[in-house]
Amino acid sequence: SQQGEEDPQALSIQEGENATMNCSYKTSINNLQWYRQNSGRGLVHLILIRSNEREKHSGRLRVTLDTSKKSSSLLITASRAADTASYFCATRRTSGSRLTFGEGTQLTVNP
Amino acid sequence: DVKVTQSSRYLVKRTGEKVFLECVQDMDHENMFWYRQDPGLGLRLIYFSYDVKMKEKGDIPEGYSVSREKKERFSLILESASTNQTSMYLCASSSRQPNEKLFFGSGTQLSVL
């Protein structure tokens, strides 16, 4: 079964608004990663957060991790139409083990 | 730019055909992976390889095999394609360092008729 589950499944916002996507997981993890996928293409790595970290930033992206709740969130600030894509979280249970992906959140940013 | 290249973007095959999906990476990565992606099911790991001539089963290896004769190339083989193998296939690679991120190819959309 999938380790990560994203919420919501789909999100539609206007350009300039913030987008928040959530990921929940079931077992303890070593790290959690977020990926982006444009329609019909491969995934691109966005950001990695380790289990001993609570928050990370990269440009307009902010990721939080709450290991007590087994959840993470991805915030995209000041969204653009080009941010329209599917966003996946992926968890790694132990160092060196393989990644397990969730089903993704489809984000649509309307111009 | 680092690159993972999958040989075909779209492929149409008949039931029972033997199908080869090729993946090449130019980053000298030790690890390579094959996933399939289906609506509502996310990405599921089929096979992976940590070294040349090495292979490990993922979560859904049935009906598939793989080959890694050279470090840069990882092939996925459908011995006898079936309609339930119609899917998007994604190849990825990563370095051996723990916790490294994956680099993905653009994907192959396979239709088995």
Side-chain angles (χ1 to χ4, degrees), chain A residues 13-35:
Chain A
I13 60 174
Q14 296 300 123
E15 220 168 16
E17 293 180 343
N18 295 342
T20 300
M21 288 158 274
N22 302 298
C23 171
S24 60
Y25 56 91
K26 296 179 178 134
T27 65
S28 59
I29 59 170
N30 177 275
N31 70 70
L32 185 145
Q33 304 180 28
W34 285 91
Y35 288 78

mmCIF file of all heavy atoms in Angstrom, chain A residues 13-35:
data_model
loop_
_atom_site.group_PDB
_atom_site.id
_atom_site.type_symbol
_atom_site.label_atom_id
_atom_site.label_comp_id
_atom_site.label_asym_id
_atom_site.label_seq_id
_atom_site.Cartn_x
_atom_site.Cartn_y
_atom_site.Cartn_z
ATOM 1 N N ILE A 13 -6.938 27.120 -7.934
ATOM 2 C CA ILE A 13 -6.809 28.447 -7.334
ATOM 3 C C ILE A 13 -6.548 29.481 -8.417
ATOM 4 O O ILE A 13 -6.292 29.133 -9.576
ATOM 5 C CB ILE A 13 -5.666 28.486 -6.295
ATOM 6 C CG1 ILE A 13 -4.331 28.130 -6.964
ATOM 7 C CG2 ILE A 13 -5.968 27.577 -5.117
ATOM 8 C CD1 ILE A 13 -3.134 28.287 -6.051
ATOM 9 N N GLN A 14 -6.584 30.755 -8.024
ATOM 10 C CA GLN A 14 -6.268 31.841 -8.948
ATOM 11 C C GLN A 14 -4.808 32.222 -8.820
ATOM 12 O O GLN A 14 -4.186 32.060 -7.751
ATOM 13 C CB GLN A 14 -7.147 33.060 -8.654
ATOM 14 C CG GLN A 14 -8.638 32.850 -8.883
ATOM 15 C CD GLN A 14 -8.951 32.475 -10.323
ATOM 16 O OE1 GLN A 14 -9.559 31.438 -10.589
ATOM 17 N NE2 GLN A 14 -8.522 33.324 -11.252
ATOM 18 N N GLU A 15 -4.266 32.710 -9.913
ATOM 19 C CA GLU A 15 -2.889 33.184 -9.903
ATOM 20 C C GLU A 15 -2.694 34.199 -8.784
ATOM 21 O O GLU A 15 -3.557 35.054 -8.552
ATOM 22 C CB GLU A 15 -2.567 33.838 -11.259
ATOM 23 C CG GLU A 15 -1.188 33.521 -11.762
ATOM 24 C CD GLU A 15 -0.981 33.914 -13.220
ATOM 25 O OE1 GLU A 15 -1.781 34.688 -13.752
ATOM 26 O OE2 GLU A 15 -0.013 33.421 -13.808
ATOM 27 N N GLY A 16 -1.577 34.086 -8.095
ATOM 28 C CA GLY A 16 -1.286 35.003 -7.002
ATOM 29 C C GLY A 16 -1.664 34.459 -5.638
ATOM 30 O O GLY A 16 -1.122 34.906 -4.617
ATOM 31 N N GLU A 17 -2.581 33.510 -5.609
ATOM 32 C CA GLU A 17 -2.966 32.902 -4.331
ATOM 33 C C GLU A 17 -1.914 31.890 -3.903
ATOM 34 O O GLU A 17 -1.092 31.436 -4.695
ATOM 35 C CB GLU A 17 -4.332 32.220 -4.466
ATOM 36 C CG GLU A 17 -5.476 33.178 -4.688
ATOM 37 C CD GLU A 17 -6.815 32.457 -4.806
ATOM 38 O OE1 GLU A 17 -6.821 31.238 -5.031
ATOM 39 O OE2 GLU A 17 -7.844 33.140 -4.673
ATOM 40 N N ASN A 18 -1.990 31.503 -2.635
ATOM 41 C CA ASN A 18 -1.117 30.448 -2.124
ATOM 42 C C ASN A 18 -1.799 29.097 -2.268
ATOM 43 O O ASN A 18 -3.024 28.994 -2.163
ATOM 44 C CB ASN A 18 -0.799 30.690 -0.646
ATOM 45 C CG ASN A 18 0.013 31.944 -0.433
ATOM 46 O OD1 ASN A 18 0.624 32.480 -1.369
ATOM 47 N ND2 ASN A 18 0.023 32.426 0.794
ATOM 48 N N ALA A 19 -1.000 28.066 -2.492
ATOM 49 C CA ALA A 19 -1.518 26.704 -2.610
ATOM 50 C C ALA A 19 -0.888 25.851 -1.521
ATOM 51 O O ALA A 19 0.334 25.864 -1.353
ATOM 52 C CB ALA A 19 -1.197 26.119 -3.978
ATOM 53 N N THR A 20 -1.719 25.129 -0.803
ATOM 54 C CA THR A 20 -1.214 24.227 0.234
ATOM 55 C C THR A 20 -1.672 22.815 -0.034
ATOM 56 O O THR A 20 -2.860 22.562 -0.238
ATOM 57 C CB THR A 20 -1.722 24.655 1.629
ATOM 58 O OG1 THR A 20 -1.273 25.986 1.903
ATOM 59 C CG2 THR A 20 -1.178 23.708 2.700
ATOM 60 N N MET A 21 -0.703 21.915 -0.046
ATOM 61 C CA MET A 21 -0.987 20.494 -0.240
ATOM 62 C C MET A 21 -0.439 19.728 0.949
ATOM 63 O O MET A 21 0.608 20.086 1.480
ATOM 64 C CB MET A 21 -0.319 19.994 -1.528
ATOM 65 C CG MET A 21 -1.002 20.515 -2.763
ATOM 66 S SD MET A 21 0.045 20.485 -4.205
ATOM 67 C CE MET A 21 0.887 22.047 -4.056
ATOM 68 N N ASN A 22 -1.158 18.693 1.345
ATOM 69 C CA ASN A 22 -0.778 17.932 2.526
ATOM 70 C C ASN A 22 -0.457 16.490 2.167
ATOM 71 O O ASN A 22 -0.978 15.943 1.187
ATOM 72 C CB ASN A 22 -1.917 17.947 3.543
ATOM 73 C CG ASN A 22 -2.284 19.351 3.932
ATOM 74 O OD1 ASN A 22 -1.476 20.090 4.488
ATOM 75 N ND2 ASN A 22 -3.506 19.763 3.608
ATOM 76 N N CYS A 23 0.389 15.898 2.987
ATOM 77 C CA CYS A 23 0.788 14.501 2.788
ATOM 78 C C CYS A 23 0.786 13.821 4.144
ATOM 79 O O CYS A 23 1.369 14.351 5.109
ATOM 80 C CB CYS A 23 2.176 14.456 2.162
ATOM 81 S SG CYS A 23 2.918 12.809 2.089
ATOM 82 N N SER A 24 0.117 12.700 4.235
ATOM 83 C CA SER A 24 0.156 11.917 5.477
ATOM 84 C C SER A 24 0.804 10.576 5.186
ATOM 85 O O SER A 24 0.719 10.062 4.056
ATOM 86 C CB SER A 24 -1.257 11.726 6.042
ATOM 87 O OG SER A 24 -2.065 11.037 5.120
ATOM 88 N N TYR A 25 1.459 10.014 6.194
ATOM 89 C CA TYR A 25 2.118 8.728 6.012
ATOM 90 C C TYR A 25 1.905 7.879 7.249
ATOM 91 O O TYR A 25 1.448 8.370 8.277
ATOM 92 C CB TYR A 25 3.602 8.918 5.690
ATOM 93 C CG TYR A 25 4.367 9.734 6.698
ATOM 94 C CD1 TYR A 25 5.003 9.139 7.773
ATOM 95 C CD2 TYR A 25 4.452 11.121 6.574
ATOM 96 C CE1 TYR A 25 5.702 9.890 8.697
ATOM 97 C CE2 TYR A 25 5.146 11.881 7.488
ATOM 98 C CZ TYR A 25 5.770 11.262 8.550
ATOM 99 O OH TYR A 25 6.451 12.014 9.472
ATOM 100 N N LYS A 26 2.244 6.605 7.143
ATOM 101 C CA LYS A 26 1.820 5.673 8.192
ATOM 102 C C LYS A 26 2.951 5.231 9.124
ATOM 103 O O LYS A 26 2.717 5.000 10.311
ATOM 104 C CB LYS A 26 1.182 4.448 7.558
ATOM 105 C CG LYS A 26 -0.099 4.761 6.805
ATOM 106 C CD LYS A 26 -0.728 3.547 6.164
ATOM 107 C CE LYS A 26 -2.022 3.967 5.488
ATOM 108 N NZ LYS A 26 -2.151 3.411 4.146
ATOM 109 N N THR A 27 4.161 5.067 8.585
ATOM 110 C CA THR A 27 5.233 4.566 9.433
ATOM 111 C C THR A 27 6.276 5.655 9.625
ATOM 112 O O THR A 27 6.257 6.682 8.957
ATOM 113 C CB THR A 27 5.902 3.337 8.797
ATOM 114 O OG1 THR A 27 6.552 3.742 7.591
ATOM 115 C CG2 THR A 27 4.872 2.266 8.482
ATOM 116 N N SER A 28 7.201 5.424 10.530
ATOM 117 C CA SER A 28 8.250 6.421 10.747
ATOM 118 C C SER A 28 9.129 6.502 9.509
ATOM 119 O O SER A 28 9.261 5.539 8.750
ATOM 120 C CB SER A 28 9.077 6.050 11.979
ATOM 121 O OG SER A 28 9.645 4.787 11.803
ATOM 122 N N ILE A 29 9.702 7.673 9.289
ATOM 123 C CA ILE A 29 10.468 7.903 8.072
ATOM 124 C C ILE A 29 11.841 8.476 8.372
ATOM 125 O O ILE A 29 12.070 9.025 9.443
ATOM 126 C CB ILE A 29 9.729 8.866 7.115
ATOM 127 C CG1 ILE A 29 9.485 10.220 7.803
ATOM 128 C CG2 ILE A 29 8.425 8.235 6.635
ATOM 129 C CD1 ILE A 29 8.992 11.288 6.857
ATOM 130 N N ASN A 30 12.723 8.345 7.391
ATOM 131 C CA ASN A 30 14.027 8.982 7.451
ATOM 132 C C ASN A 30 13.971 10.359 6.802
ATOM 133 O O ASN A 30 14.569 11.308 7.284
ATOM 134 C CB ASN A 30 15.055 8.102 6.749
ATOM 135 C CG ASN A 30 16.427 8.720 6.704
ATOM 136 O OD1 ASN A 30 16.727 9.503 5.809
ATOM 137 N ND2 ASN A 30 17.254 8.401 7.685
ATOM 138 N N ASN A 31 13.290 10.436 5.657
ATOM 139 C CA ASN A 31 13.079 11.724 5.012
ATOM 140 C C ASN A 31 11.831 11.688 4.151
ATOM 141 O O ASN A 31 11.289 10.611 3.858
ATOM 142 C CB ASN A 31 14.301 12.156 4.183
ATOM 143 C CG ASN A 31 14.513 11.315 2.936
ATOM 144 O OD1 ASN A 31 13.752 11.387 1.983
ATOM 145 N ND2 ASN A 31 15.573 10.516 2.951
ATOM 146 N N LEU A 32 11.387 12.860 3.750
ATOM 147 C CA LEU A 32 10.217 13.002 2.901
ATOM 148 C C LEU A 32 10.579 13.964 1.785
ATOM 149 O O LEU A 32 11.235 14.982 2.027
ATOM 150 C CB LEU A 32 9.025 13.530 3.709
ATOM 151 C CG LEU A 32 7.667 13.634 2.992
ATOM 152 C CD1 LEU A 32 6.543 13.324 3.964
ATOM 153 C CD2 LEU A 32 7.485 15.001 2.381
ATOM 154 N N GLN A 33 10.178 13.633 0.568
ATOM 155 C CA GLN A 33 10.519 14.450 -0.590
ATOM 156 C C GLN A 33 9.246 14.839 -1.325
ATOM 157 O O GLN A 33 8.272 14.086 -1.329
ATOM 158 C CB GLN A 33 11.461 13.670 -1.524
ATOM 159 C CG GLN A 33 12.724 13.186 -0.838
ATOM 160 C CD GLN A 33 13.644 12.412 -1.766
ATOM 161 O OE1 GLN A 33 13.659 12.618 -2.968
ATOM 162 N NE2 GLN A 33 14.447 11.531 -1.182
ATOM 163 N N TRP A 34 9.300 15.988 -1.954
ATOM 164 C CA TRP A 34 8.203 16.444 -2.806
ATOM 165 C C TRP A 34 8.700 16.521 -4.247
ATOM 166 O O TRP A 34 9.804 16.993 -4.517
ATOM 167 C CB TRP A 34 7.678 17.806 -2.366
ATOM 168 C CG TRP A 34 6.833 17.747 -1.130
ATOM 169 C CD1 TRP A 34 7.247 17.873 0.161
ATOM 170 C CD2 TRP A 34 5.411 17.546 -1.070
ATOM 171 N NE1 TRP A 34 6.172 17.762 1.027
ATOM 172 C CE2 TRP A 34 5.041 17.567 0.291
ATOM 173 C CE3 TRP A 34 4.411 17.361 -2.038
ATOM 174 C CZ2 TRP A 34 3.709 17.401 0.718
ATOM 175 C CZ3 TRP A 34 3.100 17.203 -1.619
ATOM 176 C CH2 TRP A 34 2.750 17.225 -0.254
ATOM 177 N N TYR A 35 7.834 16.043 -5.152
ATOM 178 C CA TYR A 35 8.130 16.056 -6.581
ATOM 179 C C TYR A 35 6.979 16.711 -7.316
ATOM 180 O O TYR A 35 5.833 16.684 -6.872
ATOM 181 C CB TYR A 35 8.311 14.630 -7.123
ATOM 182 C CG TYR A 35 9.588 13.945 -6.697
ATOM 183 C CD1 TYR A 35 9.702 13.388 -5.417
ATOM 184 C CD2 TYR A 35 10.679 13.855 -7.557
ATOM 185 C CE1 TYR A 35 10.875 12.766 -5.017
ATOM 186 C CE2 TYR A 35 11.847 13.223 -7.168
ATOM 187 C CZ TYR A 35 11.931 12.683 -5.904
ATOM 188 O OH TYR A 35 13.103 12.059 -5.518
#
